[in-house]
């Protein structure tokens, strides 16, 4: 049996008027394609509200992929919204945070990508720079204007980390984020940094495979095999 990888979906309102429009649950297909290419079965999970039902969803899964998406409502990590905050939808945030809590307490492997990496950090008590304009020093271009699969900046990786074992001490990655991890959550270590010191990878040291990456390996996988080892290692940890 291939491992079942749960991917929480997000919500999007489509249509021009409340009576003519509808809320749809969606997942960027790159995430499910990446899981399926790497030996797992993606299972899309709709937004739920009851803790008991969210736990039932979690128990169907061998691991959880936390996908990219909108910003997280800062009230959920005890901060007021700064002026450069993007779109937020707390229903989705609260659902994903509850699902992540259960994944941690049930020792399910987690791969967090972009927003998913930030969400993992927030669940563990950390926070983010709500916009990179708030970053204390000058920073590189993290919202690239290049093909989405193209690598545009380098990251330095801690050699003894999960990412270090997979990729060595340096890697070129794509970049589509206007926020970045600020304070780290409990037991998280920053295992990869861009050359401007922006955190690009985090790992929870108290579990075998709970990892967050700030770039988009699922998009790079559409154009090369460079990111395959990351997804394969995640799926192997779910067996
Ligand atoms: Mn970046």
């Amino acid at each position: 049996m291939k491992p079942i990888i749960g991917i929480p979906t997000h919500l999007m309102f489509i249509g021009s008027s409340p009576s003519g429009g509808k809320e749809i649950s969606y997942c960027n297909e790159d995430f499910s394609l990446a899981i399926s290419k790497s030996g797992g079965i993606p299972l899309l999970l709709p937004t739920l509200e009851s803790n008991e039902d969210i736990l039932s969803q979690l128990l169907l899964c061998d691991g959880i992929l936390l996908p990219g998406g909108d910003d997280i409502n800062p009230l959920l990590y005890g901060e007021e919204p700064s002026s450069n905050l993007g779109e937020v939808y707390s229903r989705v945030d609260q659902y994903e945070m509850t699902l992540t809590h259960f994944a941690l307490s049930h020792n399910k492997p987690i791969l967090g990508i972009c927003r998913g990496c930030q969400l993992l950090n927030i669940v563990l008590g950390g926070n983010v720079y709500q916009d990179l304009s708030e970053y204390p020093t000058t920073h590189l271009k993290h919202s690239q204007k290049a093909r989405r699969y193209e690598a545009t900046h380098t990251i330095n990786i801690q050699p003894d980390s999960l990412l270090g074992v997979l990729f060595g001490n340096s890697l070129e990655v794509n970049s589509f984020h206007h926020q970045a991890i600020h304070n780290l959550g409990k037991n998280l270590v920053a295992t990869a940094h861009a050359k401007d010191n922006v955190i690009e990878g985090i790992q929870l040291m108290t579990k075998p495979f709970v990892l967050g990456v700030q770039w988009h390996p699922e998009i790079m996988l559409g154009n090369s095999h460079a990111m395959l080892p990351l997804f394969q290692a995640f799926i192997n940890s779910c067996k």
Side-chain angles (χ1 to χ4, degrees), residues 88-231:
V88 298
Y89 194 1
S90 336
R91 247 187 89 200
V92 174
D93 302 338
Q94 282 167 328
Y95 164 65
E96 283 194 325
M97 288 170 79
T98 303
L99 183 73
T100 304
H101 269 297
F102 284 137
L104 290 167
S105 61
H106 287 73
N107 294 313
K108 306 279 188 185
I110 298 173
L111 176 60
I113 293 179
C114 198
R115 163 197 163 91
C117 172
Q118 296 167 1
L119 187 116
L120 175 65
N121 184 50
I122 286 166
V123 165
L124 289 162
N127 68 349
V128 296
Y129 294 105
Q130 290 184 34
D131 186 77
L132 274 170
S133 59
E134 295 157 19
Y135 194 67
T137 60
T138 56
H139 54 85
L140 298 169
K141 191 172 186 67
H142 289 278
S143 298
Q144 75 184 46
K145 293 203 169 100
R147 294 288 181 272
R148 289 179 69 78
Y149 53 80
E150 208 169 314
T152 61
H153 74 65
T154 310
I155 57 172
N156 295 325
I157 304 175
Q158 194 179 300
D160 56 352
S161 65
L162 284 172
L163 287 173
V165 169
L166 294 170
F167 295 117
N169 50 26
S170 173
L171 183 67
E172 292 177 350
V173 300
N174 58 359
S175 196
F176 299 96
H177 55 111
H178 82 104
Q179 298 192 321
I181 285 177
H182 184 186
N183 296 313
L184 283 163
K186 192 169 182 233
N187 294 320
L188 283 171
V189 169
T191 56
H193 294 85
K195 300 281 188 189
D196 54 8
N197 225 28
V198 163
I199 294 175
E200 292 273 342
I202 57 173
Q203 181 180 339
L204 183 62
M205 303 320 276
T206 51
K207 305 276 186 194
F209 199 108
V210 174
L211 183 64
V213 299
Q214 187 57 69
W215 73 97
H216 281 276
E218 82 288 0
I219 297 174
M220 296 178 77
L221 194 60
N223 190 57
S224 87
H225 292 306
M227 293 297 149
L228 199 55
L230 174 60
F231 288 102

